[in-house]
Amino acid sequence: MDEMEKEITKFDFKVQEKNLVEEKLNELKAQNATEEVITITMKDFGIKRAKLYGWPNTYVFTKAIGEILLRHSKENLSVVIIRPTVVTSTYKEPFPGWVQGFRTIDSVIAGYCKGKLTCLLVDPMSVFDMVPVDMVVNSITVAMVANANKSSSIIYHVGSSLRNPINFLNIHSFVFRYFTKNPWIDKDGKPVKVGKGKIFKTMATFRMYMQIRFMLPLEGLKFVNKAFGGYFQDLYVNYNQKLKLVMRLVELYEPYMLFKGIFDDNNAEELRRITRERFVDAEAFNFDARCIDWEDYIMHTHIPGLQKYVMIK
């Protein structure tokens, strides 16, 4: 963030990035590129621009741009920035387990329980920072009240990695136990049996596994398809697209699955202290992750909620 701040003083950051995007789009259109090619190329271009400034993808890059532009244009206004980590289903309000759509770890859980995810790139001992969505909402509400009528600029990290950490190994254990006891029922009415799965701690070992397990057989299919005059063309294209999608997703999530950091939430802790001292209804706006029993939450709240509100049979 500091390096990006320095760059902003040299030029109009927003205008430059916008102009680069427009130039790239015009270049592709001049080449009569298809919509599919334009989409893929622009995604790659966005990641390239993000990495140039030290960010792993456009998602976090644009968040950083937003924060910097906000601070530079706020003038005398008070600015409060809430930085939640991975947001999960509700802890209590309006009722436990509510979630809308797949969020980060949820797509992994869904793929795993359906038997489609048999391996994963992740450091089992890394802490996975997550926080229920109702706690995020509470933190926003409390932060607005506590900072009202103040000329200040403050950032609150809202998460769990510092005060109530849970690692990937424990999450995997809870998910495995849940779906062993409550297996997913497939479209044929049969229960899906889940296994422990393979875990790879480095990108190098994951790539090696994918090369042996999937890429080499795919090359074999390509050869057979050519020998039979394109008889297996549709099958080859289908598997090739799926493999490319998997590798793209893994590369996208690699920075998070192998992340070693812990987020300092001392500002949020101070906000909790002020709230307890000043407001009688502080408990109604709880956003302290220390109260969460992760085993109970994941097995009895989050996964059941995910199944009920998102993974509709």
Side-chain angles (χ1 to χ4, degrees):
M1 290 290 283
D2 290 340
E3 291 302 314
M4 285 180 67
E5 290 261 23
K6 292 175 184 176
E7 291 294 321
I8 273 191
T9 61
K10 299 176 185 178
F11 54 80
D12 191 328
F13 194 79
K14 181 173 65 174
V15 172
Q16 172 177 300
E17 291 302 316
K18 184 180 178 181
N19 289 342
L20 286 172
V21 168
E22 290 177 350
E23 287 174 12
K24 191 67 177 178
L25 274 173
N26 291 334
E27 178 187 323
L28 291 168
K29 290 176 180 178
Q31 297 170 358
N32 293 319
T34 64
E35 286 298 320
E36 183 181 2
V37 170
I38 290 176
T39 299
I40 294 173
T41 303
M42 293 308 295
K43 283 183 178 180
D44 290 338
F45 183 65
I47 291 175
K48 181 181 178 181
R49 295 300 302 170
K51 288 184 175 179
L52 179 67
Y53 291 98
W55 304 99
N57 54 52
T58 50
Y59 179 72
V60 288
F61 179 46
T62 51
K63 279 183 176 289
I65 292 176
E67 284 193 16
I68 292 172
L69 292 177
L70 188 62
R71 289 209 295 268
H72 275 258
S73 59
K74 75 181 185 67
E75 295 182 348
N76 294 325
L77 290 175
S78 177
V79 172
V80 175
I81 295 174
I82 305 292
R83 289 182 185 163
T85 53
V86 174
V87 180
T88 58
S89 61
T90 54
Y91 181 63
K92 282 187 177 181
E93 299 174 351
F95 41 82
W98 178 83
V99 63
Q100 186 177 39
F102 286 110
R103 296 288 181 269
T104 317
I105 194 173
D106 297 338
S107 56
V108 174
I109 294 173
Y112 173 76
C113 78
K114 294 179 181 180
K116 296 179 179 179
L117 185 68
T118 57
C119 63
L120 193 64
L121 171 71
V122 67
D123 182 345
M125 302 314 295
S126 287
V127 171
F128 186 69
D129 202 320
M130 56 184 177
V131 58
V133 63
D134 49 336
M135 288 193 175
V136 176
V137 174
N138 287 343
S139 71
I140 294 172
T141 304
V142 171
M144 286 193 297
V145 173
N147 290 279
N149 302 318
K150 290 183 180 179
S151 179
S152 61
S153 181
I154 189 166
I155 296 171
Y156 296 108
H157 285 165
V158 180
S160 59
S161 59
L162 181 65
R163 305 188 188 272
N164 189 12
I166 178 173
N167 59 34
F168 280 104
L169 184 64
N170 285 330
I171 295 174
H172 179 268
S173 174
F174 301 152
V175 174
F176 172 73
R177 283 163 47 196
Y178 181 89
F179 287 110
T180 298
K181 185 177 180 181
N182 311 282
W184 176 261
I185 306 301
D186 65 18
K187 59 183 180 180
D188 297 322
K190 298 179 180 179
V192 177
K193 185 178 180 180
V194 296
K196 285 285 188 178
K198 298 180 184 295
I199 292 179
F200 299 95
K201 298 179 182 180
T202 67
M203 193 64 174
T205 55
F206 179 81
R207 286 184 185 278
M208 187 181 299
Y209 171 78
M210 294 297 290
Q211 181 74 30
I212 297 171
R213 181 69 178 80
F214 297 103
M215 294 179 186
L216 288 178
L218 188 62
E219 284 298 309
L221 179 60
K222 182 180 180 180
F223 176 78
V224 172
N225 179 54
K226 188 175 182 180
F228 281 81
Y231 183 80
F232 299 102
Q233 182 66 18
D234 290 344
L235 185 64
Y236 170 75
V237 170
N238 182 40
Y239 281 125
N240 189 43
Q241 288 178 340
K242 286 182 177 179
L243 185 59
K244 285 183 177 179
L245 177 61
V246 168
M247 294 308 296
R248 188 178 184 86
L249 288 173
V250 168
E251 288 171 1
L252 185 66
Y253 284 108
E254 178 190 1
Y256 307 104
M257 305 304 277
L258 301 178
F259 186 67
K260 305 292 184 183
I262 298 296
F263 290 101
D264 180 351
D265 72 340
N266 282 323
N267 284 348
E269 179 66 7
E270 177 64 14
L271 180 62
R272 285 188 284 267
R273 184 190 66 78
I274 292 173
T275 305
R276 287 192 299 268
E277 292 178 356
R278 297 183 184 176
F279 307 110
V280 293
D281 54 352
E283 191 60 34
F285 295 91
N286 173 44
F287 61 100
D288 189 346
R290 281 173 292 201
C291 69
I292 302 173
D293 179 326
W294 288 117
E295 180 177 2
D296 180 69
Y297 170 74
I298 291 174
M299 296 188 68
H300 301 122
T301 299
H302 185 66
I303 298 179
L306 183 63
Q307 288 183 302
K308 182 176 181 179
Y309 302 110
V310 182
M311 295 170 58
I312 302 172
K313 290 184 175 65

